[in-house]
Amino acid sequence: LTNIIISLCKIKLFIYIWLFFIKYMNDKTYPIPKNLSECFTALDNIFLESQEDLEWFKASPEDEAVSGFHSGLGRILRNEWGLWSKDTELYTVLNEMGLWHADDMYGLIMTSYYRKLHGEELNLKEQIQQFINYWKDYEKMNGPVEKD
């Protein structure tokens, strides 16, 4: 029963975030962020609409908070902010930092946002190195990955 309730809450959250994000993206006062700082501002605005979701995000452990939004808000951010299409300034900035996969970019954005909300150091170099190490290990086991 608990799993069903959690699943229903995630579905509700996904639908809510999707509808809000459509409104958000259609409002020309909220352009696609160009850097991490602008991502934080955009996320602040997104979460203004749902204090309950923000409180859950802040109260959860870091990895659970970030993964909890991966399929809902994360999908929207990756698509609407051009992290898959690779045609935005944000993608270019994150790519120049050493990231090439949209899921890793989402992870960096949301982990950094979580840490910002908690007054913690972002440790960007450490975060990026973890993604780089993941792909090195992946390639050792599975062969080269096409990055473009």
Side-chain angles (χ1 to χ4, degrees):
L1 183 62
T2 303
N3 288 340
I4 292 171
I5 292 171
I6 291 171
S7 294
L8 290 173
C9 289
K10 285 183 177 183
I11 290 169
K12 172 197 149 258
L13 177 62
F14 174 77
I15 292 169
Y16 174 79
I17 291 173
W18 181 256
L19 292 173
F20 174 74
F21 209 83
I22 289 170
K23 174 185 162 211
Y24 173 87
M25 291 305 292
N26 287 327
D27 184 343
K28 299 302 179 200
T29 62
Y30 297 116
I32 295 172
K34 295 180 179 139
N35 55 49
L36 205 50
S37 177
E38 289 184 14
C39 288
F40 296 161
T41 301
L43 288 166
D44 287 341
N45 289 325
I46 290 168
F47 281 117
L48 276 177
E49 298 292 322
S50 179
Q51 287 298 308
E52 180 181 320
D53 294 330
L54 178 61
E55 292 307 316
W56 177 87
F57 183 76
K58 288 167 58 175
S60 298
E62 181 180 279
D63 58 341
E64 186 178 318
V66 173
S67 66
F69 284 106
H70 182 83
S71 295
L73 177 61
R75 178 181 298 142
I76 296 165
L77 296 181
R78 290 187 299 274
N79 291 336
E80 299 298 328
W81 287 359
L83 303 182
W84 285 119
S85 61
K86 306 175 184 180
D87 61 355
T88 63
E89 194 170 329
L90 178 60
Y91 173 86
T92 301
V93 166
L94 296 173
N95 185 255
E96 288 172 354
M97 293 171 77
L99 301 176
W100 58 271
H101 197 282
D103 287 335
D104 299 344
M105 292 177 181
Y106 161 79
L108 180 81
I109 292 166
M110 293 302 285
T111 299
S112 298
Y113 184 65
Y114 180 94
R115 291 177 181 179
K116 175 193 166 282
L117 292 175
H118 286 86
E120 300 172 2
E121 292 291 324
L122 303 184
N123 295 322
L124 294 176
K125 288 181 183 180
E126 177 185 290
Q127 287 187 68
I128 292 166
Q129 192 59 52
Q130 287 176 346
F131 292 118
I132 291 169
N133 292 344
Y134 168 83
W135 288 110
K136 282 182 183 177
D137 292 343
Y138 181 90
E139 288 182 325
K140 284 179 187 174
M141 298 291 290
N142 301 290
V145 174
E146 191 172 322
K147 295 180 176 133
D148 288 319

